[in-house]
Every structure is written in C-alpha cells, then in structure tokens.
Amino acid sequence: AQPKEPALPLFYGWFLISEVEEKIKCSTMEFLKTLDTLEAFKKHISEFTGDADKEVDLEQYFQTKAPLHCTTEFCDYGKAEGGKEYAEQQVVKDSCGTGTELSVVGLIVTPRTFGARVSLTPEQLLLWPTGADKLGIPPADLPGVEALPVGSRAHVTLGCAAGVEAVQTGIDLLEILILQQGEEKAVTVEELELGTLSYMGQGRWYLALREPVTCDATFSSFSE
Ligand code: 2AM
C-alpha cells in the first residue's frame, strides 16, 4: 500500500501572539469608535446601513474572528490549488513555529470588512506564495492588481460584516490600493491622532497609520 500523504491544513499564516492580539483588538476597536463619530463618516453612513438616517455601531457591525492572523497560503485541506507545493517548500517547513514581527501600516474599513494592512519584510516575503495577491480573484474583476507590488494583499482580518467571508478582506484591501495608485484621489482626507484617514468612495475607508504598529507573531499552519 502507498504510504498515506500527510493531510494539508486549512491555511498557513502568521498568528499574533495572544498579548498582542488583545492589544490590537482594543486599539482597533477604539479606532472604530472614533470613525463612527466623525461627520465625514456619518455623511456616507447609507453605504453601511442602506439608509442615510440610520445609525451604525461599527463595533457591533463587524464580527471578530479569532485567532488574529495574516494568511500566507490558503490550502483548504488540499482542495485549493498550490497548497501542496507550498507546504513542501523547505522554507515553509523550517519556519513553522518560528517568531517574527509583523508591521501593521494601515487599517481598512468597508461595508464588508475591517482589516489591518501588513507590510512584509523581504524575509517574510519568502513565505508569501507567488500569485497570492491574485489568488481567488477573477482577474477581470480587479483590473490593476498585476501592477501592485508582491505582498500587497498581506493583511489581518479584524472583522467581517454578517454573512461576509474573511477572504473578502484581502480583496477589499487590493481594491483600495489600486484606487490609491490610480488617477482617482481620495475624496475626504482627515488628520486623526492615529494617522491620515482617506475616503475612497463606496463606503471604503483607509487609515494610513502615522507610526507602524509592530506585532509579535508566530508562523504556523491552522486546521479546524
Ligand atoms: P483572510 O486571510 O482574509 O482572513 C480561513 O478561512 C482563512 O483563510 C481566513 O483567514 C481567510 O481570509 C483565508 N482565506 C479563505 N479563503 C481564501 C482564499 N481563497 N484565498 C486566500 N485566503 C483565503
């Protein structure tokens, strides 16, 4: 009989260590509270509620998914393309269980997702699968994605609106980055203590953090 192949995990990624996870949850919730009270945000509230007169409690609106992490490869237990090749790489095997520092440089808020943008170091990019920035996105739906630097999709999903899958966060982030690179400039810009807030239309908000937030994380696989 053939030896049984080891099962592939659901995904690989960097997982924030628990102290950092708590800290990030608190500080990002504070940001949502601030955003919620801004006149500029209230002006576009209907993009979240479907009704300009309705209020939204963003802290309730987004459901947090634990554990907080930055996905590198989504294997889906072997069902996703490329998972096996990724798992077999020496750098992936060697990195499991090792620590690193993730640099969070921005926050995104859309009617679908709430996420933290991560800027990867050259060393971290070794664990970033080729093509991951496009994976799971029909290219026709996101023109301009090819022009973004490798690793642009790297993020931590902080929360999703009801009925939205976490995979959406990376797509929303890419969409915002494409808009930033294009002709279209941000509609509203507001200087907050945390950084510069831009409105990108259609309920999409981007906060460029004044100071990147460094998060201790561990590379590992995850299965449910
Ligand atoms: P996320 O990385 O945006 O949070 C389990 O579902 C994890 O795998 C989630 O963290 C999720 O999104 C990520 N994920 C799910 N489907 C994916 C896909 N097709 N491509 C990349 N990541 C995916």
Side-chain angles (χ1 to χ4, degrees):
Q2 291 280 321
K4 218 171 159 245
E5 294 229 9
L8 289 174
L10 180 58
F11 65 92
Y12 286 88
W14 293 284
F15 293 79
L16 304 193
I17 66 165
S18 54
E19 295 94 311
V20 173
E21 188 174 42
E22 282 315 306
K23 214 179 73 191
I24 292 291
K25 272 187 192 162
C26 288
S27 56
T28 55
M29 280 298 167
E30 279 304 311
F31 166 67
L32 286 187
K33 252 190 227 165
T34 306
L35 185 62
D36 229 349
T37 59
L38 293 181
E39 280 312 314
F41 182 76
K42 286 186 188 159
K43 216 169 89 186
H44 299 284
I45 198 96
S46 65
E47 285 147 11
F48 282 78
T49 57
D51 180 345
D53 296 324
K54 255 199 204 152
E55 291 195 356
V56 65
D57 180 348
L58 287 179
E59 288 173 273
Q60 302 284 318
Y61 185 88
F62 293 113
Q63 280 143 42
T64 337
K65 319 232 163 157
L68 293 186
H69 65 273
C70 173
T71 307
T72 55
E73 175 80 14
F74 180 67
C75 301
D76 200 10
Y77 307 110
K79 280 180 270 167
E81 209 185 311
K84 186 163 176 280
E85 291 75 10
Y86 181 84
E88 281 171 355
Q89 285 182 75
Q90 200 57 43
V91 65
V92 171
K93 291 183 193 165
D94 291 347
S95 301
C96 280
T98 64
T100 192
E101 283 184 351
L102 291 182
S103 178
V104 171
V105 295
L107 297 177
I108 67 158
V109 176
T110 79
R112 299 164 296 280
T113 62
F114 176 35
R117 180 184 176 197
V118 174
S119 170
L120 299 176
T121 63
E123 203 187 4
Q124 288 164 348
L125 280 172
L126 297 175
L127 290 165
W128 191 252
T130 32
D133 297 296
K134 294 180 211 84
L135 211 78
I137 311 166
D141 291 346
L142 268 187
V145 75
E146 328 73 48
L148 294 175
V150 173
S152 292
R153 190 183 182 165
H155 67 276
V156 176
T157 297
L158 299 168
C160 291
V164 174
E165 299 280 350
V167 65
Q168 186 64 41
T169 317
I171 300 169
D172 285 357
L173 172 60
L174 289 173
E175 215 178 89
I176 287 173
L177 297 179
I178 292 165
L179 286 171
Q180 282 178 348
Q181 293 223 326
E183 299 287 289
E184 250 172 287
K185 285 288 158 239
V187 186
T188 317
V189 174
E190 192 145 336
E191 291 300 330
L192 303 178
E193 222 176 283
L194 276 171
T196 307
L197 181 70
S198 311
Y199 177 63
M200 316 295 300
Q202 299 173 20
R204 295 168 295 196
W205 297 85
Y206 182 73
L207 177 78
L209 291 173
R210 212 169 295 289
E211 296 284 341
V213 178
T214 303
C215 303
D216 283 317
T218 309
F219 184 77
S220 124
S221 62
F222 182 92
S223 297
E224 258 165 347

mmCIF file of all heavy atoms in Angstrom, residues 10-11 69 71 74 153 155 157 166-167 169-170, ligand 1:
data_model
loop_
_atom_site.group_PDB
_atom_site.id
_atom_site.type_symbol
_atom_site.label_atom_id
_atom_site.label_comp_id
_atom_site.label_asym_id
_atom_site.label_seq_id
_atom_site.Cartn_x
_atom_site.Cartn_y
_atom_site.Cartn_z
ATOM 1 N N LEU A 10 -5.853 23.855 6.816
ATOM 2 C CA LEU A 10 -6.792 24.796 6.200
ATOM 3 C C LEU A 10 -6.000 25.947 5.585
ATOM 4 O O LEU A 10 -6.215 26.318 4.443
ATOM 5 C CB LEU A 10 -7.778 25.325 7.258
ATOM 6 C CG LEU A 10 -8.836 26.313 6.775
ATOM 7 C CD1 LEU A 10 -9.703 25.718 5.659
ATOM 8 C CD2 LEU A 10 -9.715 26.778 7.930
ATOM 9 N N PHE A 11 -5.049 26.481 6.368
ATOM 10 C CA PHE A 11 -4.185 27.535 5.825
ATOM 11 C C PHE A 11 -2.912 27.676 6.648
ATOM 12 O O PHE A 11 -2.797 27.112 7.751
ATOM 13 C CB PHE A 11 -4.920 28.887 5.754
ATOM 14 C CG PHE A 11 -5.305 29.487 7.088
ATOM 15 C CD1 PHE A 11 -4.460 30.377 7.739
ATOM 16 C CD2 PHE A 11 -6.512 29.170 7.684
ATOM 17 C CE1 PHE A 11 -4.818 30.949 8.955
ATOM 18 C CE2 PHE A 11 -6.879 29.732 8.907
ATOM 19 C CZ PHE A 11 -6.024 30.616 9.549
ATOM 20 N N HIS A 69 -4.687 36.686 12.562
ATOM 21 C CA HIS A 69 -3.541 36.173 11.797
ATOM 22 C C HIS A 69 -3.455 36.842 10.439
ATOM 23 O O HIS A 69 -4.422 37.444 9.969
ATOM 24 C CB HIS A 69 -3.703 34.666 11.594
ATOM 25 C CG HIS A 69 -4.893 34.360 10.737
ATOM 26 N ND1 HIS A 69 -6.161 34.207 11.268
ATOM 27 C CD2 HIS A 69 -5.027 34.227 9.397
ATOM 28 C CE1 HIS A 69 -7.015 33.988 10.291
ATOM 29 N NE2 HIS A 69 -6.356 33.998 9.135
ATOM 30 N N THR A 71 -2.882 35.512 6.784
ATOM 31 C CA THR A 71 -2.809 34.284 5.973
ATOM 32 C C THR A 71 -1.698 34.409 4.931
ATOM 33 O O THR A 71 -1.571 35.446 4.281
ATOM 34 C CB THR A 71 -4.144 34.049 5.231
ATOM 35 O OG1 THR A 71 -5.217 34.085 6.172
ATOM 36 C CG2 THR A 71 -4.157 32.733 4.471
ATOM 37 N N PHE A 74 -3.679 29.671 1.596
ATOM 38 C CA PHE A 74 -4.955 29.020 1.907
ATOM 39 C C PHE A 74 -4.959 27.670 1.205
ATOM 40 O O PHE A 74 -5.026 27.607 -0.023
ATOM 41 C CB PHE A 74 -6.112 29.903 1.431
ATOM 42 C CG PHE A 74 -7.465 29.338 1.700
ATOM 43 C CD1 PHE A 74 -7.933 29.203 3.001
ATOM 44 C CD2 PHE A 74 -8.290 28.938 0.652
ATOM 45 C CE1 PHE A 74 -9.197 28.689 3.248
ATOM 46 C CE2 PHE A 74 -9.554 28.417 0.895
ATOM 47 C CZ PHE A 74 -10.003 28.293 2.196
ATOM 48 N N ARG A 153 -1.390 42.166 -0.764
ATOM 49 C CA ARG A 153 -2.615 41.647 -0.160
ATOM 50 C C ARG A 153 -2.450 41.298 1.328
ATOM 51 O O ARG A 153 -3.436 40.973 1.999
ATOM 52 C CB ARG A 153 -3.028 40.399 -0.935
ATOM 53 C CG ARG A 153 -4.395 39.881 -0.572
ATOM 54 C CD ARG A 153 -4.666 38.596 -1.349
ATOM 55 N NE ARG A 153 -5.984 38.083 -1.077
ATOM 56 C CZ ARG A 153 -6.575 37.154 -1.826
ATOM 57 N NH1 ARG A 153 -5.967 36.670 -2.874
ATOM 58 N NH2 ARG A 153 -7.771 36.721 -1.511
ATOM 59 N N HIS A 155 -2.519 41.026 5.050
ATOM 60 C CA HIS A 155 -3.417 41.721 5.982
ATOM 61 C C HIS A 155 -3.826 40.801 7.120
ATOM 62 O O HIS A 155 -3.668 39.577 7.030
ATOM 63 C CB HIS A 155 -4.677 42.162 5.241
ATOM 64 C CG HIS A 155 -5.499 40.991 4.800
ATOM 65 N ND1 HIS A 155 -5.234 40.309 3.630
ATOM 66 C CD2 HIS A 155 -6.527 40.340 5.393
ATOM 67 C CE1 HIS A 155 -6.079 39.296 3.521
ATOM 68 N NE2 HIS A 155 -6.877 39.284 4.585
ATOM 69 N N THR A 157 -7.390 40.056 9.015
ATOM 70 C CA THR A 157 -8.820 40.336 9.081
ATOM 71 C C THR A 157 -9.188 40.596 10.537
ATOM 72 O O THR A 157 -8.942 39.757 11.409
ATOM 73 C CB THR A 157 -9.636 39.140 8.544
ATOM 74 O OG1 THR A 157 -9.322 38.945 7.172
ATOM 75 C CG2 THR A 157 -11.139 39.399 8.675
ATOM 76 N N ALA A 166 -14.139 35.899 5.388
ATOM 77 C CA ALA A 166 -12.887 36.610 5.652
ATOM 78 C C ALA A 166 -12.066 36.868 4.388
ATOM 79 O O ALA A 166 -11.356 37.866 4.299
ATOM 80 C CB ALA A 166 -12.050 35.839 6.662
ATOM 81 N N VAL A 167 -12.172 35.968 3.411
ATOM 82 C CA VAL A 167 -11.376 36.125 2.183
ATOM 83 C C VAL A 167 -11.624 37.493 1.535
ATOM 84 O O VAL A 167 -10.778 38.021 0.812
ATOM 85 C CB VAL A 167 -11.661 34.974 1.188
ATOM 86 C CG1 VAL A 167 -13.094 35.018 0.698
ATOM 87 C CG2 VAL A 167 -10.690 35.002 0.023
ATOM 88 N N THR A 169 -11.563 40.411 2.868
ATOM 89 C CA THR A 169 -10.708 41.498 3.375
ATOM 90 C C THR A 169 -9.549 41.793 2.425
ATOM 91 O O THR A 169 -9.245 42.951 2.138
ATOM 92 C CB THR A 169 -10.140 41.158 4.767
ATOM 93 O OG1 THR A 169 -11.181 40.587 5.559
ATOM 94 C CG2 THR A 169 -9.607 42.402 5.466
ATOM 95 N N GLY A 170 -8.896 40.745 1.937
ATOM 96 C CA GLY A 170 -7.767 40.922 1.028
ATOM 97 C C GLY A 170 -8.205 41.563 -0.277
ATOM 98 O O GLY A 170 -7.488 42.383 -0.854
HETATM 99 P P1 2AM B 1 -8.270 36.236 5.418
HETATM 100 O O1 2AM B 1 -6.851 35.828 5.207
HETATM 101 O O2 2AM B 1 -8.676 37.402 4.602
HETATM 102 O O3 2AM B 1 -8.596 36.477 6.855
HETATM 103 C C1 2AM B 1 -9.618 30.779 6.822
HETATM 104 O O4 2AM B 1 -10.746 30.944 6.051
HETATM 105 C C2 2AM B 1 -8.600 31.863 6.497
HETATM 106 O O5 2AM B 1 -8.131 31.714 5.174
HETATM 107 C C3 2AM B 1 -9.128 33.264 6.617
HETATM 108 O O6 2AM B 1 -8.204 33.995 7.338
HETATM 109 C C4 2AM B 1 -9.328 33.727 5.197
HETATM 110 O O7 2AM B 1 -9.225 35.062 4.866
HETATM 111 C C5 2AM B 1 -8.341 32.891 4.437
HETATM 112 N N1 2AM B 1 -8.905 32.538 3.136
HETATM 113 C C6 2AM B 1 -10.076 31.935 2.882
HETATM 114 N N2 2AM B 1 -10.235 31.712 1.564
HETATM 115 C C7 2AM B 1 -9.129 32.190 0.951
HETATM 116 C C8 2AM B 1 -8.690 32.278 -0.409
HETATM 117 N N3 2AM B 1 -9.420 31.794 -1.408
HETATM 118 N N4 2AM B 1 -7.506 32.862 -0.634
HETATM 119 C C9 2AM B 1 -6.756 33.341 0.354
HETATM 120 N N5 2AM B 1 -7.115 33.301 1.659
HETATM 121 C C10 2AM B 1 -8.278 32.727 1.957
#
